[in-house]
Every structure is written in C-alpha cells, then in structure tokens.
Amino acid sequence: MILTVTLNTALDLTYRVRSLRPHASHRVSEVVERPGGKGVNVARVLAALGREVTVTGFAGGGTGRAIRDRLAGIPRLTDALVPVAGASRRTIAVVDELSGDTTQLNEPGPPIAPAEWGAFLDHYEELLPSASAVALCGSLPPGVPVGAYANLVRAARSAGVPVLLDTSGEPLRRGVAARPDLIKPNADELAELTGSHDPLRATQDARRRGAHAVVASFGADGLLAVTPAGRWRATPPALVRGNPTGAGDSAVAGLLSGLIENLPWPDRLARAVALSAATVRAPAAGEFDPAVYEELRGTVAVTGVVSAA
C-alpha cells in the first residue's frame, strides 16, 4: 500500500457563484463537501487509479468526524488518522463561474499537544513496514515541530521506504536536508527555498540541497524535473481553465504511482500533468475528470532540457 501523511487534514468546501464581487452578497448555486488536505487529496486520486492507499495524520472535533465519515465510503482507501482534541480545519474554495477563477480561504488547523504528536510518531513507525511509498504533504498545524517532516523523512529512509515531500517554507527547507527521494514544490515554494526565480537553476539548486529528485510545478506551464536520470519539461497540450484546487496533489499521485511502477521519468511526468489538468477541469476541489485524463494522457509533451551552468 501507499501511505499518505496529512498532518493538517481539512473538510474542503467548494462554493459556486455566478460572479464573485467584493462587498456584495452572493447566491451560491452549488455546495460540495469533500475530505481534504494535500495528502488526503493525493490518496483519493490514488484510490481512483486503483491503488491501495492508507491515510494518516490528525483529525479532531466535528470537522474531523465529517472528514472520517466521508473517507469511509472510498474504495481501496484505509483511514488510519490519529484523533486529537482540537477541531480539524475547513478550507473554502469559491468558484467564479463567469471568469472561471477560484478564491481559496484556508483555516490554520487545530493546536497539537506534545502527547498527540508523540502518539502520531509511534503510529507512523508502525505503518511504515507495510508501505511501498510515503507521501508527506501539506502545512503543519500549530504545535507540530517545524522539523517534523525532516524526522518523518529520516524514519522512512531508515525503513527503506521511498518518500516524497510536498510542503513549503521552513518545513520544506529542513525536510530537503533529510534527503527525501522526491520533492514537488511549486514556483513560489521553489523560489523561497533557493532564492532563485530561474526555473531550471532553482530546480537544480533544490536537488543539490539534498533531494534525490525535484519535480517543480509551474501551473499552466507544466512540470520541470531534475533527476539522476535526466532533466525534462512536461507541458499540457493547451491551457486548461477551471478550479486549480488539488491539481498539484493529483500530480503527486501521478508521480507516486509512477514511482512504485518503476516507470521511466517521462512517463511519470506525462501521467502527472494529465492528472493535474483533469483535476482543474473537475467540478469539485481535489477530484479529477477521468474522461479528460484519458483524453490528455497521450498528448502531454515531455522534452529533455539542457542543464544550466
């Protein structure tokens, strides 16, 4: 099974309005609720692709119960979340139907007590021996040490389990130093990590900081990968408009599934880009449109790139 870690799980709410205007009342045409947080989104996509996946992290309060209730109905997905006293957060995506743009509001998450963090570490160590790969995803809730992901990366490496890290800021900087197998920053996260806004130079620098491979996402411009096997750029065939919430998580699911299948890097990247684009086109956050995925998976352009000096 694949193990995904979401320390800051969420109940994702998607509201659709005809046109989002500041200082105005809006009539919501549709409301969709889904269990969320980056690792949960990754797990749902993996399960939809036919993979056995286990979700762990924290869940608490009424929101946590709602998250777990909705996870219970997903085939091939096992709930191994750790209960906490605080209430899990909500995220709200407001989709403007006229423009196609999405506005995102993210709550911070519940405070995690030292004993709750210790219970999670014990639980994580118990799950690792059964995992074929681990994805460590998303923000840290209050109370979790800033070096948490670095510790989780080291534990996975000690267990011989490939580990992907998808986070930002100081948790990413410390996590990279623990030498994960793969990181997947977006353009802003990559620039913050390296201090460079040149995509290839920054991606190469991120790898020199400790990651075995780096796949950076640049929105509509696709993915840039720097790996021991080579450097590639993967782009969708055309601009895809819609709700981008969860698109990066779908790319992570594509990369993870390609890793455990031992696919060549170009095939992994093509799958990740097609899944990401299919997620943008889906009506609800954190899901992908299977028809769009099948349509795009053979049309993603993957080309080798020349290394920066």
Side-chain angles (χ1 to χ4, degrees):
M1 63 89 176
I2 298 173
L3 177 64
T4 72
V5 175
T6 312
L7 297 177
N8 213 1
T9 56
L11 184 65
D12 288 342
L13 306 175
T14 301
Y15 295 149
R16 301 185 71 86
V17 300
R18 176 165 174 74
S19 177
L20 183 62
R21 304 181 308 281
H23 317 298
S25 297
H26 297 79
R27 186 176 297 279
V28 176
S29 61
E30 182 184 20
V31 181
V32 178
E33 290 188 357
R34 293 288 186 273
K38 293 181 72 64
V40 172
N41 290 338
V42 171
R44 285 168 44 217
V45 173
L46 286 167
L49 291 172
R51 294 289 173 185
E52 296 293 330
V53 60
T54 295
V55 172
T56 192
F58 297 114
T63 312
R65 287 192 296 274
I67 292 168
R68 302 189 82 163
D69 287 346
R70 286 159 176 79
L71 288 175
I74 300 176
R76 294 178 294 275
L77 189 149
T78 299
D79 172 3
L81 293 167
V82 175
V84 293
S88 297
R89 65 188 180 128
R90 296 163 298 177
T91 69
I92 300 172
V94 183
V95 179
D96 184 321
E97 295 176 336
L98 201 59
S99 69
D101 293 333
T102 300
T103 299
Q104 189 80 19
L105 303 173
N106 297 329
E107 296 179 358
I112 304 300
E116 292 170 333
W117 175 239
F120 171 79
L121 290 176
D122 291 342
H123 188 56
Y124 177 72
E125 299 257 1
E126 292 171 358
L127 291 169
L128 278 176
S130 300
S132 56
V134 176
L136 308 173
C137 303
S139 61
L140 301 179
V144 172
V146 70
Y149 282 135
N151 291 334
L152 299 182
V153 169
R154 293 188 190 100
R157 287 178 55 83
S158 295
V161 181
V163 57
L164 181 154
L165 176 62
D166 183 12
T167 187
S168 61
E170 186 65 12
L172 174 60
R173 189 185 70 80
R174 297 197 187 192
V176 168
R179 307 187 66 80
D181 294 88
L182 175 62
I183 64 170
K184 196 216 68 64
N186 62 29
D188 291 339
E189 293 160 354
L190 184 65
E192 183 181 10
L193 174 66
T194 65
S196 173
H197 290 275
D198 177 84
L200 183 55
R201 198 176 296 277
T203 305
Q204 291 185 136
D205 181 53
R207 184 166 180 252
R208 284 192 290 267
R209 290 169 183 260
H212 189 65
V214 180
V215 177
S217 59
F218 293 91
D221 293 327
L223 302 176
L224 176 62
V226 175
T227 80
R231 300 169 176 84
W232 293 273
R233 196 178 288 273
T235 55
L239 177 64
V240 179
R241 296 193 66 85
N243 182 0
T245 306
D249 305 329
S250 291
V252 168
L255 294 169
L256 267 181
S257 61
L259 182 153
I260 62 173
E261 292 173 31
N262 200 29
L263 293 180
W265 271 103
D267 293 343
R268 301 184 200 185
L269 297 170
R271 178 182 291 180
V273 169
L275 280 170
S276 181
T279 300
V280 174
R281 289 271 294 274
E287 295 187 349
F288 72 95
D289 186 319
V292 174
Y293 171 58
E294 292 299 330
E295 172 190 334
L296 293 179
R297 61 187 302 186
T299 65
V300 175
V302 182
T303 57
V305 296
V306 178
S307 173

